[in-house]
Amino acid sequence: MEMIVEAFMFIFDSATDVAPIVIFLFAFQVFVIRERIPNLRQILVGFVFVVVGLGLFLVGLEESLFPLGRLMAQQLTDPEFIAQVSGHIDRALVWQDFYWVYLFAAALGFSTTLAEPALMAVAIKANAVSGGAIGVWGLRVAVAIGAGTGVALGCFRIITGLPLQYFIAAGYLVVIVQTALAPKMIVPLAYDSGGVTTSTVTVPLIAALGLGLAEAVPGRSPLLDGFGLVAFAALFPIISVLAYGQLAALRQRSAESSTELAEETDHAL
Amino acid sequence: MKDSLIALSKDAIFSVRDLAPIVLVIAVFQAFVIRQPVDGLLSLIFGGVLVVAGLTCFIFGLRIALFPIGEGLAHALAKKGSAFWLFTFSFVLGFGTTIAEPSLLAVANEAASVAVDAGVIENTDDAIAGYALGLRLIVALSVGVALLLGVLRIITNWSLPLMIIAGYILVIIVTTMAPPEIVGVAYDSGGVTTSTVTVPLVTALGVGLASSLKGRNPMTDGFGLIAFASLTPILFVLLYGIVTQWR
C-alpha cells in the first residue's frame, strides 16, 4: 500500500520533469516550423507512457537497485566475510583483502556493458564505416574490458581513499596522448563509447555500490570518497577503444606491408 | 493496436536484457561467494519488476512520442538553415532532455542525501529538494551549452579532438581550485547525462545537421556531440562548487 502511494507521488513528480521538454518541442513545432504535429493522438499517449514509466522506474530503483548496491558493498567488505574467505586473520585489513570487491566490480562492469543494446548498434555501424577493420565483437569486448577495469579500479580508489582527481587526470592524459596517435576515424567513436557504457540501469547500481563502499570501509566518507565510479566507468572505455583502434591499425599496416612484400616477390619472379 | 503491443513487448525484452547481467552477477556472488540469506528479498524482486515495467513504458513512450517529434524538428531546423533557431533548439533540447534524464534524477537525490549526512546542507525536505534540483539545473544548463558548442563545431568544422583535449585540460585545472566535496559528484555527472533520453535525440540532431551541410560526412561529423555532453557537466558542476564555496 505504501509503495502504491509512493508510486503515485513519483509519477506526479516525473510529470513535472518531463513537462519542459514536451512544452519546448510543441512550441518549436507550432511557432518556428509552423506545421501541425503528425499523429497527435499517438504522441500524447506516448508522453503518458513516458511519465508513468519514469515514475515506476524511480520507485523500482529505490526498492531494488539502490539497496542491492549498498547490500553488496556491505556484505563484501564485512570483516567476518573477509576472514572467512581468506582464512582467519588477526590484523587490520589492507586493500588486498578486498579482492572480492574488485572481482565483483569488474564482473558487473564487464557484463552490463557487453549486454548493452546501444553498444551493439554502435559496433555494427563502426564495422560498416571502417570497412571491416573494426570487428563487431572486438569493439564490444574492448568497451566491456574498459568498463570492467574502470569500475574495479574505481573501487580500489574508494577503498584506499586516494584522491579521485589524480586518477582522472592521469586517465585524461592517456586519452590525450592516444588521441594524437590513434587513427582519426576511431576518435569520435571512442569518445561516444564512454557515454554508451553508463546506461540507465547501470548508473544507479554502481553509484550505490560506491556510496555503500565508502560507508562500510572504515575511515572513508561517502561525500569525499563515495562518488566517482560512474566517471571511471565512462573514462576507461575511451582508453580501451582508442587502444583497440591503434591495434587494428597496426595489424592492418603489417598485413599491408606483407602483401606488398608478396607482390614485390611476385614481380621479381 | 497489435503493432504497438509487439513494439511494447520488444521494449520489455530490451529492459529485461539491460537488467539480466546485473541480476546474474549478483546471484552468482550471493550463491557462491557470500552464501548468506538476503534480507527483504521479496521487496528487492518487486522493485526489480517495477524497474523493468517502468523502463519498458518509458522507452516505449519515448519511441512513439519524443523521438519522432524531436528527430523531425532536428531535420526540419537543420534544413531551414536559420542559425539562430538552430542554436536555440540545440540549447533547449540539451536542457530539456537532461532535466528528464532518469539516471541524473537518481544520482542527484543520492548526492543530496549524502550532503545531508555530511552536514553540508540542512536536513529538511526543502533543502534536500533544493540541492538536488540545483544540481540538475546546472547539469542541464551545461548539456545545453555542450550541444550549442557541438553544433557550432559541425557548422564551422573545428577539430573535435582539439576541442575535447582543451576541455579536458580545463577540467584538470578547474579541479585543483574546486572544493574536494564536489569533485566526485562533478565527475560522475559527466557519465550520467548521456543515457536514455539524450543520446538518440542528440545523435539525430548531429547526423541531420551534418547530412544537410555540404562537404560533411554524417558518420564522422555527426558524432561527437555526446562527447561534449559528457565533458561540460564536469566543468559546470566544478565551477558551481567553487562559486557556492564563496557564499
Side-chain angles (χ1 to χ4, degrees):
Chain A
M1 189 59 217
E2 221 174 88
M3 225 188 254
I4 296 169
V5 175
E6 204 184 340
F8 272 107
M9 282 175 60
F10 269 103
I11 288 171
F12 180 76
D13 278 348
S14 68
T16 55
D17 294 326
V18 176
I21 184 72
V22 176
I23 294 168
F24 288 143
L25 288 179
F26 276 83
F28 260 91
Q29 189 78 35
V30 174
F31 295 113
V32 182
I33 301 294
R34 288 181 205 178
E35 270 173 30
R36 291 191 48 197
I37 298 162
N39 303 327
L40 187 61
R41 241 185 73 191
Q42 179 196 320
I43 283 170
L44 290 178
V45 171
F47 278 122
V48 173
F49 267 95
V50 167
V51 168
V52 172
L54 186 57
L56 292 180
F57 175 74
L58 291 175
V59 181
L61 280 190
E62 297 282 332
E63 300 297 331
S64 67
L65 290 179
F66 278 141
L68 213 48
R70 285 228 158 92
L71 181 75
M72 291 304 295
Q74 266 163 20
Q75 288 181 325
L76 289 173
T77 52
D78 187 5
E80 266 180 45
F81 164 76
I82 290 173
Q84 211 175 24
V85 289
S86 57
H88 290 279
I89 37 172
D90 299 319
R91 57 182 167 80
L93 293 173
V94 289
W95 66 267
Q96 291 94 331
D97 294 323
F98 295 97
Y99 57 89
W100 278 114
V101 175
Y102 312 134
L103 273 176
F104 175 70
L108 201 65
F110 184 84
S111 63
T112 52
T113 306
L114 204 61
E116 175 62 43
L119 180 59
M120 290 181 207
V122 170
I124 291 167
K125 262 187 208 156
N127 180 271
V129 193
S130 66
I134 300 171
V136 172
W137 266 100
L139 183 72
R140 281 176 62 191
V141 171
V143 179
I145 289 176
T149 317
V151 182
L153 199 65
C155 288
F156 164 76
R157 185 201 70 82
I158 291 174
I159 286 170
T160 52
L162 293 168
L164 176 63
Q165 49 268 46
Y166 294 175
F167 285 85
I168 300 286
Y172 282 162
L173 281 180
V174 172
V175 169
I176 290 171
V177 172
Q178 278 183 307
T179 303
L181 299 176
K184 282 285 158 286
M185 59 153 189
I186 196 102
V187 171
L189 187 74
Y191 288 149
D192 279 359
S193 56
V196 167
T197 51
T198 44
S199 86
T200 315
V201 182
T202 321
V203 164
L205 184 75
I206 59 175
L209 180 71
L211 290 172
L213 279 178
E215 278 162 14
V217 175
R220 296 291 162 266
S221 111
L223 188 67
L224 287 175
D225 305 305
F227 291 96
L229 276 189
V230 180
F232 274 80
L235 177 63
F236 279 76
I238 304 182
I239 296 177
S240 66
V241 172
L242 285 172
Y244 178 75
Q246 288 174 295
L247 270 178
L250 267 181
R251 265 214 320 253
Q252 213 173 19
R253 213 171 297 154
S254 66
E256 268 166 21
S257 63
S258 63
T259 46
E260 268 168 31
L261 211 68
E263 273 168 20
E264 273 167 30
T265 43
D266 276 350
H267 281 297
L269 289 170
Chain B
M1 189 64 207
K2 202 182 152 204
D3 288 346
S4 25
L5 275 181
I6 293 172
L8 192 62
S9 46
K10 259 191 196 150
D11 287 334
I13 293 170
F14 269 119
S15 320
V16 170
R17 210 159 63 177
D18 248 6
L19 201 62
I22 294 178
V23 173
L24 194 75
V25 168
I26 292 181
V28 166
F29 268 75
Q30 286 291 346
F32 298 106
V33 182
I34 296 173
R35 283 181 290 185
Q36 267 172 13
V38 179
D39 289 335
L41 187 61
L42 211 65
S43 115
L44 285 179
I45 292 172
F46 185 63
V49 172
L50 279 186
V51 165
V52 169
L55 203 59
T56 305
C57 291
F58 184 70
I59 305 267
F60 176 74
L62 287 183
R63 216 194 294 282
I64 68 169
L66 197 60
F67 294 165
I69 321 190
E71 282 168 20
L73 273 175
H75 283 288
L77 280 169
K79 280 224 177 65
K80 204 173 179 230
S82 151
F84 171 74
W85 284 117
L86 195 59
F87 286 137
T88 314
F89 180 72
S90 332
F91 178 80
V92 164
L93 185 74
F95 187 89
T97 50
T98 307
I99 284 289
E101 192 67 74
S103 35
L104 178 62
L105 268 162
V107 169
N109 289 337
E110 282 297 280
S113 68
V114 169
V116 168
D117 292 342
V120 177
I121 55 173
E122 283 172 52
N123 190 7
T124 60
D125 283 352
D126 277 353
I128 295 169
Y131 183 89
L133 186 67
L135 194 61
R136 282 171 57 210
L137 286 177
I138 288 291
V139 175
L141 187 73
S142 69
V143 176
V145 172
L147 292 204
L148 244 172
L149 268 179
V151 167
L152 192 65
R153 184 198 76 81
I154 293 178
I155 294 176
T156 56
N157 216 0
W158 288 335
S159 153
L160 173 71
L162 273 187
M163 288 178 82
I164 296 283
I165 289 172
Y168 280 157
I169 293 173
L170 207 58
V171 165
I172 296 174
I173 295 171
V174 175
T175 302
T176 57
M177 297 184 274
E181 311 89 63
I182 202 81
V183 172
V185 181
Y187 284 145
D188 274 0
S189 56
V192 161
T193 49
T194 49
S195 49
T196 326
V197 195
T198 319
V199 174
L201 281 179
V202 165
T203 311
L205 177 68
V207 174
L209 187 59
S211 48
S212 61
L213 284 173
K214 263 189 199 151
R216 300 286 195 284
N217 176 0
M219 198 62 221
T220 49
D221 292 325
F223 290 92
L225 285 178
I226 308 282
F228 282 115
S230 39
L231 185 70
T232 52
I234 308 180
L235 208 54
F236 275 54
V237 175
L238 286 174
L239 289 173
Y240 176 67
I242 295 175
V243 170
T244 49
Q245 191 186 28
W246 288 335
R247 273 202 312 218

